[in-house]
Amino acid sequence: MNGGILHAEALAAWRARVPAPAQALALPVPELLEGFHPDRQPGAMVPLLVGASAGLPCRAELAALLQSDSLIEDVDIAGAPMLDADVLVIGGGGAGCVAALTAARAGARVTLATKLRLGDSNTVMAEGGIQAAVGPEDSLQRHFEDTLRAGHFAADKALVAALVSDGPGVIRWLIQEGMGFDLTEGSDRMGGTLLRKKPGGATAARLLSYRDFTGLEMMRALREAVLLQPGITLLDRHPALELLTDDRGRCAGAALHDLAQGRAVLAR
């Protein structure tokens, strides 16, 4: 059996990596949470009354904002220009750029509105790197088990499985979009090997990074991809003021504020 492994040996190797049972903490966690966590204080959480999450607990301040009447009156948007698109994306960070690119490449006409400039977002603040099981000694199962163990087995297993399963493909996609990653010594960008580091709590080296500003490099590549992609109308300095709804209460667009012109713009 060339290149194979006996079932008994494979089973023993897998069992050696199975996460150990969760250990009880020697701290009165429930009592500490009840006494000090702001969400556990009297009146801090209330049931949400609107939206897809109606009935779930929500911070009282956020619930009041979500359930309040619009701050925009009809007179504020009277005569405002209307921008029409198939997909409206609010936010020009990493997630917003990927959403806009995905929709545009599927044939949709996209409007991407961001409150500052494209890329001025929290994505550029990420420094440490991205974890993905791309090494020959690593596996999706191993990444899955490490992630569960690191979260004291409290994570949603379906979400963790989706996270680790998408990881290698996402790294490949980012490289295709032009993002750079650190390479091993002696490699070059045309045929290099990704430099992988072992993050805390992991059993394999799977941390991929670009120097100490991975998020900034990611945003550089995504920003260029958005600017070069046909079908995306970019609205810099257009913060969203309110979401618009149709006669059935469904989201149908947003009222934006054009900071340069000092006027409202409706996008749908």
Side-chain angles (χ1 to χ4, degrees):
M1 188 169 57
N2 296 331
I5 182 172
L6 295 176
H7 177 263
E9 295 179 11
L11 190 60
W14 175 81
R15 284 174 174 166
R17 294 200 304 269
V18 170
Q23 300 294 318
L25 297 176
L27 292 172
V29 175
E31 291 82 355
L32 290 173
L33 288 175
E34 291 296 333
F36 298 100
H37 197 289
D39 289 350
R40 305 296 182 92
Q41 305 309 305
M45 305 292 289
V46 298
L48 194 60
L49 302 178
V50 298
S53 300
L56 297 180
C58 179
R59 284 287 302 188
E61 302 88 344
L62 178 57
L65 178 62
L66 294 174
Q67 295 162 181
S68 64
D69 292 332
S70 173
L71 298 177
I72 299 178
E73 302 291 345
D74 291 343
V75 66
D76 297 321
I77 57 176
M82 177 70 73
L83 304 177
D84 196 26
D86 299 319
V87 176
L88 170 63
V89 178
I90 298 176
C97 287
V98 172
L101 286 168
T102 302
R105 290 171 181 175
R109 295 176 300 117
V110 179
T111 295
L112 173 58
T114 178
K115 62 184 176 183
L116 298 173
R117 298 170 302 174
L118 182 64
D120 289 341
S121 66
N122 286 332
T123 301
V124 301
M125 304 297 179
E127 299 176 354
I130 310 170
Q131 293 191 42
V134 297
E137 79 290 354
D138 205 355
S139 68
L140 299 181
Q141 180 67 28
R142 197 168 184 175
H143 192 181
F144 175 81
E145 294 170 356
D146 284 351
T147 305
L148 285 182
R149 185 186 301 108
H152 298 283
F153 305 94
D156 185 317
K157 292 183 179 179
L159 293 180
V160 175
L163 172 75
V164 303
S165 298
D166 290 346
V170 168
I171 297 300
R172 187 179 302 110
W173 184 84
L174 287 171
I175 292 174
Q176 291 172 345
E177 295 300 321
M179 179 177 174
F181 286 95
D182 291 332
L183 305 177
T184 57
E185 188 174 353
S187 298
D188 59 64
R189 293 185 64 87
M190 299 302 295
T193 301
L194 293 172
L195 177 65
R196 294 175 289 109
K197 302 173 185 177
K198 189 173 180 180
T203 61
R206 66 173 67 97
L207 185 68
L208 310 173
S209 59
Y210 184 78
R211 302 180 184 178
D212 63 346
F213 44 89
T214 306
L216 183 62
E217 169 63 11
M218 177 191 295
M219 199 65 251
R220 179 200 62 78
L222 293 177
R223 182 179 183 276
E224 290 181 1
V226 167
L227 294 176
L228 293 173
Q229 177 63 46
I232 299 178
T233 299
L234 175 63
L235 300 178
D236 275 334
R237 299 181 177 86
H238 278 70
L241 302 178
E242 294 281 356
L243 297 180
L244 305 176
T245 56
D246 61 16
D247 55 359
R248 297 184 182 181
R250 300 173 301 184
C251 184
L256 312 174
H257 183 69
D258 184 343
L259 294 177
Q261 300 293 328
R263 64 177 184 177
V265 174
L266 303 182
R268 63 178 185 180

